[in-house]
Amino acid sequence: MKVTNQQRVNIDEHINQEKYLIFGYTPTCGTCKVSERMLDIANEILKLPITKIDLNFHPDFSQEHEIQSVPVLMLMSKGEEQKRIYAFQSVPNLLENLK
């Protein structure tokens, strides 16, 4: 599959931020849709910058960061990964993990 620049997002848009999130998903993943909704609810409280990426269009990112499965949420700080979450258990659990 040929990936065009219109399909890719700028993963580094928040790289200078002290705390930001990268949410990786694929559009055909049902769990990703539920997890994204939980993340949106949690982030209404936290107000963290977030980049959502369709990993189908970012195979280089997936390989570089050794993404095991989707959905994946990466808590970042100035370009460095601080924490990685694969299992989105609940909104309160997400809030606790992202504080």
Side-chain angles (χ1 to χ4, degrees):
M1 169 172 55
K2 184 156 173 63
V3 178
T4 66
N5 283 334
Q6 286 108 1
Q7 295 167 314
R8 294 176 59 94
V9 297
N10 180 6
I11 297 169
D12 296 327
E13 68 180 317
H14 302 296
I15 200 161
N16 294 322
Q17 299 287 323
E18 202 60 49
K19 197 174 195 181
Y20 65 99
L21 304 171
I22 297 175
F23 175 71
Y25 68 94
T26 59
T28 58
C29 165
T31 306
C32 294
K33 290 174 181 30
V34 173
S35 298
E36 182 177 19
R37 183 67 187 128
M38 285 194 286
L39 176 59
D40 289 344
I41 292 167
N43 207 34
E44 284 178 22
I45 296 165
L46 298 172
K47 307 271 192 244
L48 293 172
I50 186 167
T51 301
K52 296 179 180 181
I53 60 172
D54 180 345
L55 292 174
N56 289 324
F57 298 119
H58 296 274
D60 49 338
F61 179 85
S62 297
Q63 187 171 10
E64 178 184 337
H65 292 278
E66 299 177 355
I67 303 296
Q68 306 280 320
S69 65
V70 291
V72 61
L73 181 63
M74 300 168 71
L75 177 61
M76 308 292 288
S77 178
K78 298 199 180 266
E80 297 294 320
E81 182 180 343
Q82 304 301 307
K83 185 181 262 187
R84 185 179 297 201
I85 300 169
Y86 286 110
F88 293 44
Q89 298 168 359
S90 65
V91 171
N93 181 268
L94 269 178
L95 288 168
E96 186 63 34
N97 276 296
L98 297 177
K99 286 185 179 177

